[in-house]
Amino acid sequence: MVRNIKLHIEYDGTDFYGWQYQPDRRTVQGEIENALKKLTGEEIKVIGAGRTDQGVHALGQVANFHTRSQLTLSQLQRGINALIGDDVYIREIGEVDEQFHARFSAKTKIYHYSIILKPSPLQRRYNWYVPFAFDIELIKKVIPQIQGEHDFTHFSVHNGNSTGICLMTNLSLKVSDFQITIVLEANRFLRKMARGIVGFLIDLGRGRFAPDDINRVFAGEIKDLYFAPPQGLCLIKVNY
């Protein structure tokens, strides 16, 4: 009998070449698949909810795989965690119905992008240190124009093989004295889309762009967006 197994995964993306398997490069998917092959003797493909880029972290990545192995869920969880590096960890495991697909069954994904305003060696792996001043209130005024359904092709590195239409259900800021968290929730994210939005917002706040330029980006009239660095981005939760 084939079983469909669901994983909740946390990882520090610093030393990975992203989620997706690449020959001869260390990836999160590759680590887990190698561990499963040792445990089950099967060639197993692990399907992730989101293909995070090199350097991007995850607190709530979700994945699933199919197996004929009769190992218990506890044995699978302990075995995978024993065989992978300390920078990735299977937090939860469960058996789900055949129709569940980690990527296509997802309703929305929530990312947090973290920015610090003062240098901190202890936080540099998980935040973007921005050394210049920018206008938070101006950024807040433009955010409603990004929310909703739009073609986000020009906020991303998009190959054009599928639609760039995404529904941004939430884009908001959490501000403290020396840290800003940008919360992004959408039904799907194109490659580097979250980082493109963050880069635009910060450049807007520092005066590189004007508020009306948001429409020029959507229209593809602005080509030189700055993509915020990967270490500030973390996949927090996938909603089903």
Side-chain angles (χ1 to χ4, degrees):
M1 183 182 70
V2 177
R3 305 156 70 199
N4 192 9
I5 307 298
K6 179 182 178 183
L7 306 174
H8 287 256
I9 310 163
E10 178 180 342
Y11 51 87
D12 178 337
T14 305
D15 298 324
F16 287 104
Y17 284 88
W19 163 268
Q20 192 170 5
Y21 173 81
Q22 298 181 52
D24 304 320
R25 287 189 166 181
R26 185 171 183 254
T27 68
V28 182
Q29 181 186 17
E31 284 271 293
I32 297 171
E33 288 179 352
N34 287 338
L36 285 169
K37 185 175 182 179
K38 293 176 182 177
L39 285 170
T40 68
E42 299 173 312
E43 295 285 349
I44 290 175
K45 181 179 179 181
V46 177
I47 301 164
R51 298 173 181 175
T52 54
D53 292 327
Q54 180 178 358
V56 175
H57 315 293
L59 182 65
Q61 173 72 286
V62 176
N64 75 291
F65 65 90
H66 294 87
T67 180
R68 293 184 180 276
S69 171
Q70 294 305 303
L71 291 171
T72 67
L73 293 174
S74 179
Q75 287 171 330
L76 284 169
Q77 182 178 15
R78 290 199 308 270
I80 297 170
N81 283 331
L83 292 169
I84 55 182
D86 291 340
D87 47 2
V88 57
Y89 187 74
I90 308 302
R91 302 203 66 84
E92 296 179 25
I93 189 169
E95 195 160 342
V96 290
D97 63 62
E98 176 62 26
Q99 287 70 41
F100 177 83
H101 189 287
R103 183 180 177 192
F104 296 136
S105 298
K107 302 298 185 185
T108 65
K109 301 182 185 77
I110 301 173
Y111 283 89
H112 285 185
Y113 194 96
S114 300
I115 295 168
I116 51 175
L117 307 177
K118 286 191 173 183
S120 172
L122 292 180
Q123 297 185 66
R124 64 185 176 84
R125 288 166 66 105
Y126 312 106
N127 295 268
W128 176 21
Y129 165 52
V130 176
F132 47 80
F134 54 91
D135 188 337
I136 292 289
E137 295 307 313
L138 181 60
I139 291 173
K140 288 180 180 178
K141 289 178 181 178
V142 171
I143 278 177
Q145 298 179 57
I146 303 176
Q147 292 186 117
E149 189 172 70
H150 304 281
D151 185 342
F152 284 91
T153 296
H154 302 292
F155 278 98
S156 68
V157 177
H158 185 46
N159 59 19
N161 291 334
S162 62
T163 178
I165 300 295
C166 305
L167 176 62
M168 180 69 64
T169 55
N170 180 36
L171 181 60
S172 57
L173 302 180
K174 298 178 181 179
V175 181
S176 62
D177 289 342
F178 304 113
Q179 187 168 38
I180 296 169
T181 301
I182 300 177
V183 180
L184 307 99
E185 181 176 3
N187 65 333
R188 61 193 289 260
F189 285 86
L190 309 177
R191 187 178 175 217
K192 294 188 179 180
M193 173 178 143
R195 291 164 56 193
I197 292 171
V198 172
F200 172 81
L201 290 175
I202 298 304
D203 275 348
L204 170 73
R206 70 186 295 194
R208 183 179 176 221
F209 295 121
D212 288 345
D213 285 335
I214 183 69
N215 297 316
R216 296 180 61 212
V217 177
F218 278 128
E221 296 173 7
I222 293 177
K223 305 289 188 181
D224 59 341
L225 280 190
Y226 175 73
F227 291 91
Q231 72 271 13
L233 188 61
C234 184
L235 175 57
I236 298 297
K237 186 179 181 182
V238 183
N239 291 315
Y240 291 94

